[in-house]
Amino acid sequence: MSEERYVPPRVWQHLAPSRGAFANINRPVAGPTHERELPVGRHPLQLYSLATPNGVKVTILLEELLALGVSGAEYDAWLIRIGEGEQFSSGFVEVNPNSKIPALLDRSEQSPIRVFESGSILLYLAEKFGHFLPTDRAARTETLNWLFWQMGAAPYLGGGFGHFYAYAPEKFQYAIDRFSMEAKRQLDVLDRRLAECRYLAGDGYSIADIAVWPWYGELVRGNLYSAGEFLSVHEYTHVQRWAEEVAQRPAVQRGRRVNRTWGDPAEQCPERHAAADLDRP
């Protein structure tokens, strides 16, 4: 007997809970579900996040800035447990009405500035502190090209390929084939670019690399979705070269640990409130 075919209704309604990983945090409406203020530390920058690929982008940039001696980039990192719905607290929604990590509150200004969406946070911090974003118009534009490429491309990798390959309660060939094809096309885009230059925007390491590496760099290093063999990531030799070079940066290694609660305990730093938390010299 053939499987019953799903026919969409004329009007979709949320009649049954979602299934699969993260189903308990999926809902069709926005806004807070409960009242709770966010904690505030002593540093000018307050980061509310989790060490997902999007969250890691921001902690890597902050650690890179601190490695350069930018004291104003000192920050408090507060863990947001998205599996428990902490991103739906009233305090978090005030900082990010979209209820997604990461979210940043800059209290160094006369009136605190909220910054949400990982790409926006990277651009904000790079402009505020004057690092990892070239001032030359052509180089700046190339950096932003790749930054916004990542913002547009990653949902296909995470919400598309990652969801149907790793998290969906059932495996659907059509969905996996569709998003595997796109994931490999994106890896090929990166591989061709990195065959031409050391980093994505040229010779200099920038927020473009910081944005792309936690997704595609970790994918080819075997640290995302356990999909390296499935996607034949060994074929993308230039992405492999770049991914390993970025991974060796001490600030990247520190940034990966912040707001991390899984894996090797030595790789975890659930919350960070002082430089000593990460043994930074």
Side-chain angles (χ1 to χ4, degrees):
M1 179 181 296
S2 61
E3 184 177 332
E4 183 178 350
R5 185 177 181 183
Y6 172 69
V7 178
R10 290 184 63 187
V11 178
W12 182 86
Q13 298 181 63
H14 188 214
L15 300 177
S18 300
R19 296 180 298 128
F22 310 113
N24 63 317
I25 64 173
N26 294 329
R27 60 194 183 111
V29 296
T33 60
H34 58 283
E35 293 293 322
R36 182 184 177 188
E37 293 185 2
L38 290 176
V40 176
R42 63 184 179 87
H43 296 116
L45 299 176
Q46 301 295 302
L47 177 66
Y48 304 97
S49 192
L50 181 71
T52 66
N54 283 334
V56 163
K57 297 176 193 175
V58 179
T59 50
I60 287 176
L61 177 55
L62 287 167
E63 289 300 323
E64 293 281 12
L65 290 167
L66 291 169
L68 293 177
V70 181
S71 59
E74 196 67 73
Y75 66 104
D76 292 288
W78 303 96
L79 178 65
I80 300 296
R81 298 172 178 84
I82 62 174
E84 299 175 20
E86 293 182 350
Q87 70 276 31
F88 299 119
S89 73
S90 57
F92 191 91
V93 172
E94 286 181 9
V95 181
N96 184 358
N98 195 37
S99 293
K100 301 289 184 181
I101 61 93
L104 181 75
L105 192 64
D106 183 356
R107 296 169 57 87
S108 69
E109 305 292 334
Q110 185 172 0
S111 296
I113 297 175
R114 72 178 188 182
V115 197
F116 58 89
E117 294 299 324
S118 58
S120 180
I121 297 174
L122 294 185
L123 182 57
Y124 178 83
L125 293 173
E127 290 185 332
K128 179 181 177 73
F129 295 113
H131 292 286
F132 303 111
L133 179 62
T135 56
D136 172 79
R137 181 177 296 177
R140 173 187 169 86
T141 301
E142 187 66 12
T143 302
L144 295 181
N145 287 341
W146 290 103
L147 173 64
F148 291 120
W149 175 88
Q150 190 279 323
M151 298 298 292
Y156 288 95
L157 179 60
F161 172 77
H163 176 78
F164 287 106
Y165 178 77
Y167 300 136
E170 291 120 14
K171 305 302 181 188
F172 298 101
Q173 183 178 353
Y174 172 81
I176 292 174
D177 284 350
R178 163 73 172 85
F179 289 108
S180 296
M181 185 181 303
E182 177 61 13
K184 287 183 70 66
R185 189 194 68 82
Q186 292 175 1
L187 286 168
D188 194 40
V189 170
L190 291 176
D191 204 57
R192 290 168 185 265
R193 173 58 178 167
L194 291 166
E196 301 171 345
C197 51
R198 182 177 179 184
Y199 296 110
L200 285 170
D203 294 332
Y205 176 72
S206 72
I207 56 173
D209 302 286
I210 293 171
V212 173
W213 184 85
W215 285 99
Y216 300 88
E218 287 289 69
L219 179 66
V220 300
R221 297 180 72 235
N223 296 327
L224 198 62
Y225 306 130
S226 300
E229 182 180 6
F230 181 77
L231 293 175
S232 301
V233 297
H234 65 278
E235 297 174 348
Y236 307 102
T237 56
H238 303 292
V239 182
Q240 292 273 2
R241 182 271 306 164
W242 164 83
E244 290 303 324
E245 181 175 350
V246 172
Q248 296 308 309
R249 296 178 69 90
V252 172
Q253 295 171 14
R254 290 192 295 270
R256 288 182 69 250
R257 292 167 53 192
V258 180
N259 291 142
R260 187 178 179 92
T261 60
W262 59 88
D264 185 344
E267 291 293 309
Q268 298 177 17
C269 182
E271 292 183 351
R272 175 206 180 282
H273 307 294
D277 291 343
L278 293 177
D279 300 321
R280 178 162 43 79

